[in-house]
Amino acid sequence: MNLVNLIRDQLTGGVADQLGSIIGEDATKTRAALGAAVPAILSGLTSVGSTPAGASKVKSALDQFSSPSTGDLGSLLGGDTGVLIQKGIGLLTSLLGENSLGTIIAAISKFSGIGGGSAKSLLALALPLIMSAISGKAKGLDANGLMGLLSSQKSNIAAAIPAGFTMPALPSAPPLKISMPDTSAPGLPSWLVPALVLGALALLAYFFWPAARPIEPDAPSDVATVSSGYTKVFNSLTEILGGVKDETTAVVAIPKLEEQKLTLDHLKPMLDKIPVAARGPINAIISSGRTKLKELTDPLLALPIVGEKLKPLIDQIMAALNV
């Protein structure tokens, strides 16, 4: 019995094309992402289910996928995919943990060429099919039996890893790679200019005012990295939210907003490691960014349907900026 093959058999035909259309990626890249996503998720679940407590957690989640209809991806994609994505992401985060999920997303995105938000949505959409396949073979098994079932699939999972894809090492989190924004590029939001000026002044004070310097010798580079990280997030959020006009564009924006929320979640522990006295550049950027972000989101939240779809995620983003 090979769980990978069972799942792949249901991803034939136009399913990849349909998934690609939903996440906004071409079919070729979507197929490549799916080829990596199936063994990656199974590997993550096998890792979680390698202990009695973890196996019980997986077994509890499988109960939600016990009916045959939950494994019919085609029929599921005909419903509200936005809701399906939200539920899938929630369950994946609960099972794998935010860091491990982020590692898998980054690896699939790098391998297939699709965006991180698209990879996250694809994982959420494929999850019902994967869990249903496991559920069908785990009927009547207790936690120990499920541990044995998942363990027996390790060789099948290893054989299914596509060439060129590096299976992420779980549960460690992926390194966050953030590039400095190009302030000379056209389209830089005008509200960021004063924030960057304030940040630059604070950074100069940081280097030349001894009292502001932390003990750690590598902290200056951390300040610069985190500052550029938040700047890039605000740039992206401005572009994403500016493209929301109706329900359709709101649904398209959701995975992109989730990607920025994931970046904020990675930035927070980096910020926490920087002494309070050295956070001037970062605080200036966050303060200006939050103000402008609220100006962008308030009108969107007032729109019927659009506001309902975006509010939970916008609330999470604003909460992540309360630093």
Side-chain angles (χ1 to χ4, degrees):
M1 187 267 295
N2 188 323
L3 285 176
V4 179
N5 287 342
L6 287 176
I7 296 165
R8 283 177 167 174
D9 287 346
Q10 298 186 57
L11 291 174
T12 56
V15 175
D17 294 348
Q18 192 174 359
L19 285 169
S21 176
I22 292 171
I23 66 175
E25 302 285 353
D26 68 61
T28 300
K29 289 183 178 180
T30 301
R31 290 191 187 96
L34 276 172
V38 172
I41 292 181
L42 284 173
S43 177
L45 293 176
T46 299
S47 177
V48 172
S50 62
T51 65
S56 295
K57 187 176 182 180
V58 175
K59 190 174 187 305
S60 176
L62 288 174
D63 292 340
Q64 302 179 42
F65 298 88
S66 57
S67 76
S69 62
T70 57
D72 184 358
L73 190 57
S75 63
L76 285 172
L77 296 182
D80 190 336
T81 55
V83 173
L84 185 61
I85 289 171
Q86 292 293 330
K87 289 182 178 179
I89 290 170
L91 187 55
L92 281 168
T93 303
S94 174
L95 286 170
L96 305 179
E98 195 164 305
N99 285 340
S100 293
L101 178 57
T103 303
I104 293 173
I105 290 169
I108 292 174
S109 175
K110 180 179 180 180
F111 168 72
S112 64
I114 68 174
S118 297
K120 192 174 185 179
S121 295
L122 184 66
L123 290 171
L125 291 169
L127 182 65
L129 189 62
I130 294 171
M131 295 296 282
S132 180
I134 299 174
S135 178
K137 299 301 177 182
K139 288 180 180 178
L141 296 180
D142 58 11
N144 288 330
L146 180 59
M147 286 173 62
L149 171 65
L150 293 174
S151 179
S152 71
Q153 296 300 306
K154 288 183 178 180
S155 60
N156 294 329
I157 294 170
I161 299 173
F165 177 65
T166 302
M167 183 69 78
L170 303 177
S172 59
L176 179 66
K177 297 182 179 179
I178 306 173
S179 58
M180 289 291 289
D182 181 5
T183 56
S184 65
L188 182 68
S190 59
W191 62 270
L192 270 179
V193 176
L196 291 172
V197 171
L198 286 173
L201 291 174
L203 192 59
L204 286 173
Y206 168 80
F207 282 117
F208 294 106
W209 184 20
R213 297 180 189 174
I215 297 174
E216 294 83 359
D218 60 343
S221 62
D222 288 343
V223 171
T225 299
V226 176
S227 295
S228 67
Y230 278 105
T231 298
K232 184 176 181 181
V233 168
F234 284 122
N235 262 326
S236 298
L237 289 173
T238 299
E239 180 180 354
I240 294 166
L241 293 170
V244 176
K245 308 298 180 184
D246 49 28
E247 181 181 0
T248 300
T249 52
V251 171
V252 172
I254 286 175
K256 299 177 183 178
L257 292 172
E258 288 169 345
E259 184 176 1
Q260 299 308 311
K261 170 60 169 57
L262 185 64
T263 301
L264 288 173
D265 291 340
H266 283 297
L267 285 168
K268 181 59 167 62
M270 295 172 67
L271 175 62
D272 289 342
K273 293 179 182 178
I274 299 174
V276 175
R279 297 181 188 178
I282 306 168
N283 291 338
I285 291 171
I286 293 175
S287 178
S288 295
R290 276 181 57 85
T291 300
K292 181 60 179 180
L293 196 58
K294 194 171 187 306
E295 293 176 1
L296 290 171
T297 57
D298 282 351
L300 294 177
L301 294 176
L303 294 175
I305 303 179
V306 171
E308 296 174 9
K309 289 187 175 296
L310 295 184
K311 187 178 189 307
L313 192 50
I314 289 175
D315 286 347
Q316 292 176 33
I317 290 173
M318 297 302 284
L321 290 169
N322 284 327
V323 295

